[in-house]
Amino acid sequence: MNILGTLATTPYLSRVLGADGIGAFSYAEAIASYFVLVAILGTGTYAPREISYVQDDKEKRSRVFFEVLLFRFITTALMLMIYIICMRNKVLLSIMSINILAVAFDVSWFFQGIEAFEKIVTRNIVFKILYLLFVFLFIKSPGDLLKYTLGSAILNIAGNVSLWSYLPAYITGQKITEIRAFRNLKVILSLLVPTIAIQIYTIFDKTMLGLFTETDFENGYYEQAMKIIRVVQVVVTALSAVMAPRIGYYFSKSRQDKVREYMLKAFRFVWLISIPLAFGIMGISDNLVPWFMGTGYDKVIILLKILPILTVIIGISQITGIQYLIPTNRQNILTKSVVIGATVNFCINLILIPKLYSVGAAIASVIAEIVITGIQLWYVRKELDVREAMISGKNYLLAGIVMIIVLRLENLKFTVSVTHTMLMIFSGSLCYFGMLLIMKDEFFINNIWEIVDRVKRYRRDKTND
């Protein structure tokens, strides 16, 4: 739904709000995001990890739930007051305060920790459909920017509130005297630094673009390119959301063998999925952007030659960082890597953004993410077979190279159109997966057979019913 929602609304909003409107929204969202990050204060990674450790004990997980909830209420209230005081008389920024308030009512971390992902998925589907209806029914002109901002924020907080109806089945009441919101403040604060630094590429980049450029257009180009990157990253980063609680569970049971097994499978999965997504976007961007976003977005084509690299690199760093270091209480290594990466990002931004604008921000993000991933792999090299994990991607890299060559050749012959873009996507996919079959890639073929077996079992069960 995230993918379909973005694909459906991006072309429409690009034309209706324009690059400057999108840029203004993006800049305001970036400012509010700083306050959101502080309101969350590291609990975004701490909370699901702690819940995963005690997911089999209803009493313990209930205590953790109420402690995190109270903690978030306090930090949200503080950030909301500061934000309102600072942003009064600024309408667009004031509306964004709703997104800060939404932090207090977000309990998705609890359902992630107990691995009840169906609750989160159901919520996401319902509210993504409501978002689509809202955009197409009520956003009609550039003057609807404030309406779009308000509607998006209200749907955000409503989606968070909707999950509360599931809570009574999973938690029990706790005595107020036993709830200590600041019990693990030191641990939570230790997770704040990497949480903030991880977000720096989408937030700080946009802030610096707003400061260094005289118009909102560069931010609009960057935002639209990042929307497409976030679409393809959804598939890759979803793995971390699902795997992190499972790794934490096995770690709490001292099952290091299962931890290593799942980690190596995760690396193979990221290689298999991220390379065709990244190389595919690079290959079709010239044909896609003109009809998908409309006129005035030519610079997005350049950005989509650079930013897709993040899909592969972030996929790998998510495995080592979010799926391994945090569930195994090694957040100090994660902190070190992302602080260094954030510093690299900031320094390169200072040099490149004044000269290259959004292109400079894109280059800085890619370099910084490579630094982060490299540091994390160095630290875990004695615990995980990093060499095997990297070598396991050779088939996918080769197949991706062949695919992008084919796409570039097709781009020379095809005209810009929806039909030709769809043909390129089809031929690129056929080329990539065809190469994996020719190379007899074991991981890919085994998963294909597993899917086939599941379909057969499903049909058999339906027939028996």
Side-chain angles (χ1 to χ4, degrees):
M1 288 303 298
N2 278 328
I3 292 171
L4 292 175
T6 302
L7 291 176
T9 58
T10 298
Y12 180 76
L13 292 174
S14 297
R15 291 165 171 81
V16 172
L17 298 181
D20 54 339
I22 294 292
F25 175 85
S26 176
Y27 182 70
E29 187 180 44
I31 298 300
S33 294
Y34 289 115
F35 291 83
V36 169
L37 285 174
V38 179
I40 294 174
L41 205 65
T43 56
T45 47
Y46 165 83
R49 185 187 73 182
E50 295 301 306
I51 293 292
S52 73
Y53 288 163
V54 295
Q55 61 177 283
D56 295 333
D57 190 319
K58 190 173 186 179
E59 192 67 26
K60 289 182 179 179
R61 74 182 183 223
S62 298
R63 179 175 56 80
V64 173
F65 169 78
F66 282 110
E67 288 180 348
V68 173
L69 188 66
L70 179 58
F71 184 87
R72 281 201 172 195
F73 275 165
I74 295 171
T75 55
T76 300
L78 288 173
M79 286 301 100
L80 197 57
M81 286 190 293
I82 296 172
Y83 185 86
I84 291 174
I85 292 172
C86 294
M87 303 303 167
R88 63 181 183 275
N89 300 325
K90 298 174 183 177
V91 181
L92 185 62
L93 286 166
S94 297
I95 294 173
M96 286 290 181
S97 64
I98 299 174
N99 287 332
I100 302 173
L101 180 62
V103 172
F105 297 96
D106 178 21
V107 292
S108 59
W109 47 268
F110 175 78
F111 295 101
Q112 182 182 344
I114 63 174
E115 302 184 69
F117 294 101
E118 70 280 359
K119 305 294 188 300
I120 303 173
V121 169
T122 302
R123 184 275 306 266
N124 289 348
I125 290 174
V126 170
F127 280 88
K128 183 59 69 173
I129 292 173
L130 291 176
Y131 170 76
L132 291 172
L133 291 173
F134 163 71
V135 167
F136 291 119
L137 291 176
F138 298 104
I139 309 304
K140 301 293 184 181
S141 69
D144 290 333
L145 176 60
L146 294 180
K147 186 192 299 182
Y148 172 70
T149 305
L150 180 62
S152 299
I154 290 175
L155 286 172
N156 180 30
I157 194 171
N160 290 347
V161 172
S162 68
L163 285 175
W164 283 62
S165 61
Y166 299 116
L167 288 173
Y170 295 95
I171 60 174
T172 58
Q174 299 288 302
K175 294 181 180 178
I176 190 68
T177 55
E178 295 180 358
I179 300 174
R180 289 182 282 173
F182 299 94
R183 181 197 302 269
N184 289 317
L185 180 60
K186 185 177 179 181
V187 178
I188 293 173
L189 289 176
S190 72
L191 290 168
L192 173 62
V193 175
T195 300
I196 290 177
I198 286 171
Q199 299 293 326
I200 202 165
Y201 312 115
T202 54
I203 299 175
F204 202 57
D205 287 352
K206 292 188 288 187
T207 305
M208 293 185 74
L209 278 171
L211 293 174
F212 283 113
T213 57
E214 297 179 355
T215 69
D216 292 318
F217 285 99
E218 289 294 329
N219 239 323
Y221 302 142
Y222 192 77
E223 174 66 16
Q224 293 302 77
M226 285 303 299
K227 277 184 180 180
I228 295 178
I229 301 305
R230 285 194 291 267
V231 165
V232 297
Q233 280 181 352
V234 164
V235 183
V236 180
T237 56
L239 179 69
S240 294
V242 176
M243 289 287 285
R246 181 59 16 186
I247 296 294
Y249 177 78
Y250 282 128
F251 176 74
S252 68
K253 303 296 182 183
S254 299
R255 293 291 307 276
Q256 297 300 327
D257 57 326
K258 297 296 291 183
V259 171
R260 283 190 289 270
E261 176 189 340
Y262 274 91
M263 291 297 293
L264 287 174
K265 286 183 177 180
F267 275 112
R268 293 291 289 268
F269 175 83
V270 166
W271 286 122
L272 171 65
I273 299 299
S274 65
I275 286 181
L277 291 174
F279 286 22
I281 292 296
M282 291 179 189
I284 69 171
S285 59
D286 292 276
N287 202 283
L288 170 71
V289 172
W291 67 261
F292 187 65
M293 295 185 180
T295 57
Y297 290 93
D298 292 345
K299 200 166 187 177
V300 176
I301 297 174
I302 301 173
L303 296 176
L304 291 181
K305 297 290 197 304
I306 303 168
L307 289 172
I309 299 172
L310 290 175
T311 304
V312 181
I313 304 301
I314 288 178
I316 296 172
S317 66
Q318 286 264 318
I319 297 174
T320 53
I322 306 301
Q323 290 178 218
Y324 184 70
L325 293 175
I326 288 181
T328 58
N329 286 315
R330 308 285 299 283
Q331 59 264 17
N332 59 317
I333 297 175
L334 177 63
T335 299
K336 183 182 295 186
S337 67
V338 295
V339 167
I340 293 173
T343 304
V344 170
N345 180 269
F346 177 77
C347 293
I348 298 177
N349 273 339
L350 284 178
I351 298 170
L352 296 184
I353 287 181
K355 298 176 181 179
L356 302 176
Y357 303 117
S358 54
V359 173
I363 294 172
S365 292
V366 170
I367 294 174
E369 195 61 49
I370 291 173
V371 170
I372 290 174
T373 304
I375 293 172
Q376 291 178 4
L377 290 173
W378 173 261
Y379 274 104
V380 303
R381 70 191 188 282
K382 295 181 180 179
E383 304 159 43
L384 301 173
D385 194 337
V386 173
R387 184 174 180 275
E388 181 182 349
M390 294 298 102
I391 291 177
S392 67
K394 65 181 186 302
N395 287 352
Y396 313 110
L397 183 60
L398 178 59
I401 291 172
V402 173
M403 179 188 72
I404 198 170
I405 291 173
V406 171
L407 291 176
R408 297 311 299 169
L409 291 173
E410 288 180 338
N411 191 65
L412 296 174
K413 299 293 183 180
F414 287 169
T415 57
V416 173
S417 68
V418 178
T419 302
H420 284 166
T421 299
M422 295 300 108
L423 283 174
M424 292 176 76
I425 292 173
F426 176 77
S427 63
S429 302
L430 194 64
C431 178
Y432 179 78
F433 294 114
M435 283 295 297
L436 293 183
L437 289 174
I438 292 172
M439 291 185 288
K440 298 180 180 179
D441 184 78
E442 183 180 352
F443 183 75
F444 172 66
I445 293 173
N446 287 345
N447 276 279
I448 290 296
W449 282 118
E450 183 176 342
I451 292 171
V452 171
D453 288 340
R454 290 192 179 195
V455 171
K456 287 181 178 178
R457 287 199 300 269
Y458 174 78
R459 287 180 175 177
R460 186 169 57 248
D461 292 341
K462 292 291 287 184
T463 301
N464 293 335
D465 292 341

